[in-house]
Amino acid sequence: MKKKLKEIAEIIGGEIINQSEEIIKIEITGVNNIQDAGPSDITFAVEPHLEKAGLSNAAAVIVPETVYEFSKPAIRVANPRIAFTLLLDLYTEKPQIDPGIHSTVVIGKDVKIGDNVSIMAYTVIADGAVIGDNAVIYPHCYIGHKSKVGKDILLYPQVTIRENCTIGDRVIINSGAVVGSEGFGFVTKDKIHHKVPQVGGVLIEDDVEIGANSNIDRATTGFTVIKKGTKIDNLVHIAHNVVMGENCLIVAQTGISGSVIVGNNVTFAGQSGTAGHLKIGDNCVFTARAGIISDVESNSFYSGYPARPHREWLKIKAAGVRLIDFTKKIKELEEKIKKIEQTEK
């Protein structure tokens, strides 16, 4: 694909810096990062990477709207990251997937399949399942008894959706993910663990994305819920009866324990985790490896284990670094006190 810089500026709603005839006619054939961009590629940059982008091999750079002069041909936009995302989507060749059901697909009784659906080889669809319009289901997927998947969904290879689960529209689930596995429920009597039947389901609302090898447990009763717009990274575990709010970000290797209720726009950084039965308010951020063991109010920024306000955690870490100096100083003071006591005797 080739597009002139002027066309790209129109697509991303930007303004070209120094709009000479020569600059607006520059042809862009690719989109790349600063380091790998070639002489016909466009890249983007924000501080502190603007200088590096100016020295790169890129033909042009997308920059923040606060930049008025640049060493290379550049387009000013309100949000360079969003503009770059639009161009990546525009320039990236997508696999051509034709509608149709492969001959090896196993379809149970009373299954309803929408229009323009593509179901690839060796997928199994159990009795009573419903598949929405324009769904794309890659090979070796499983959709369980009476489960429903919505319109425009994308299931990559080896996705498992167990029985009685509901998946909304435009949901993307990556390879190896499991929706509706049994919640971890046991009652211990006389040192023997007795299984609690996990008879609930999972509800995934619209525009959710679930990463590879992540797992969302079915509820003991009722539903485990992932609300609209939430994005889940790879290797995440969400336990039974969790309610995850809208537009949350859950980064790799995070674990959310059973019956936790999470508000909207909450971010869990990598390897963070919670105790069970907690309530977490809206707009919270938990840094990497945060261990949340009690309820958290809205608009909190927490770190560490046990998780505490970030500034408080920073002070504790800073004090910990100085412990060796404190210990040495205490020993010196003890020696001085001993000498004083001996002198007084």
Side-chain angles (χ1 to χ4, degrees):
M1 179 185 292
K2 287 184 180 180
K3 287 193 176 294
K4 291 182 171 58
L5 199 62
K6 182 180 179 181
E7 294 177 279
I8 289 178
E10 291 171 355
I11 290 168
I12 63 177
E15 179 186 350
I16 298 173
I17 297 175
N18 299 326
Q19 296 191 43
S20 69
E21 193 68 23
E22 181 182 2
I23 287 176
I24 64 175
K25 289 185 176 180
I26 291 173
E27 288 191 333
I28 302 297
T29 63
V31 183
N32 217 325
N33 61 62
I34 294 172
Q35 183 175 341
D36 298 328
S40 62
D41 290 338
I42 191 167
T43 189
F44 88 100
V46 295
E47 289 290 3
H49 306 294
L50 289 170
E51 183 177 353
K52 183 178 178 182
L55 297 172
S56 72
N57 293 322
V61 182
I62 303 167
V63 298
E65 60 186 359
T66 52
V67 176
Y68 290 91
E69 296 291 336
F70 201 70
S71 58
K72 278 184 172 293
I75 303 173
R76 300 169 55 243
V77 296
N79 190 322
R81 288 185 174 88
I82 292 293
F84 187 71
T85 299
L86 290 173
L87 293 182
L88 279 175
D89 187 57
L90 177 67
Y91 273 84
T92 301
E93 184 179 355
K94 299 171 182 64
Q96 182 63 44
I97 299 172
D98 296 323
I101 299 174
H102 195 272
S103 60
T104 60
V105 173
V106 176
I107 300 176
K109 300 175 183 177
D110 302 317
V111 171
K112 296 180 181 178
I113 298 177
D115 297 330
N116 300 310
V117 168
S118 176
I119 306 177
M120 300 184 201
Y122 302 106
T123 288
V124 175
I125 303 174
D127 295 350
V130 177
I131 313 295
D133 297 343
N134 307 310
V136 175
I137 302 173
Y138 275 79
H140 296 279
C141 289
Y142 173 77
I143 299 175
H145 181 75
K146 292 188 177 180
S147 283
K148 300 176 182 179
V149 298
K151 299 176 183 178
D152 303 298
I153 62 104
L154 177 56
L155 306 183
Y156 283 104
Q158 298 181 330
V159 166
T160 297
I161 298 172
R162 288 270 304 269
E163 64 276 9
N164 298 315
C165 294
T166 299
I167 312 294
D169 298 340
R170 299 175 300 281
V171 170
I172 298 172
I173 305 180
N174 284 279
S175 298
V178 179
V179 176
S181 55
E182 292 196 9
F184 192 71
F186 298 90
V187 174
T188 303
K189 181 181 179 182
D190 300 328
K191 298 184 179 180
I192 297 174
H193 307 303
H194 300 271
K195 187 175 185 64
V196 177
Q198 306 293 296
V199 299
V202 175
L203 172 60
I204 309 289
E205 295 186 354
D206 297 344
D207 301 301
V208 169
E209 296 191 24
I210 300 171
N213 296 313
S214 288
N215 185 76
I216 301 172
D217 287 346
R218 66 192 316 102
T220 307
T221 59
F223 290 90
T224 301
V225 180
I226 310 297
K227 294 188 178 180
K228 65 181 182 180
T230 283
K231 312 300 182 185
I232 299 170
D233 198 359
N234 304 333
L235 297 168
V236 169
H237 178 215
I238 297 177
H240 56 193
N241 293 95
V242 167
V243 177
M244 183 67 59
E246 298 178 6
N247 299 311
C248 293
L249 295 173
I250 310 172
V251 184
Q253 299 183 3
T254 289
I256 310 297
S257 295
S259 300
V260 171
I261 298 175
V262 180
N264 301 329
N265 302 299
V266 175
T267 297
F268 295 91
Q271 297 186 335
S272 55
T274 74
H277 299 268
L278 302 181
K279 291 184 179 180
I280 295 171
D282 297 340
N283 308 311
C284 291
V285 175
F286 300 99
T287 62
R289 295 189 174 183
I292 304 132
I293 62 171
S294 58
D295 292 351
V296 180
E297 294 181 355
S298 295
N299 305 304
S300 296
F301 182 18
Y302 270 37
S303 298
Y305 181 84
R308 62 190 73 224
H310 184 67
R311 289 183 179 275
E312 181 181 324
W313 176 78
L314 287 176
K315 290 177 182 177
I316 292 169
K317 295 298 289 184
V321 171
R322 299 175 61 191
L323 277 177
I324 296 174
D325 293 336
F326 289 156
T327 302
K328 183 179 178 182
K329 192 69 174 176
I330 288 169
K331 286 182 178 179
E332 290 174 356
L333 291 171
E334 287 176 341
E335 289 297 323
K336 288 181 180 180
I337 291 170
K338 277 184 183 179
K339 289 179 181 179
I340 291 170
E341 289 175 343
Q342 289 171 357
T343 302
E344 289 178 348
K345 290 180 179 177

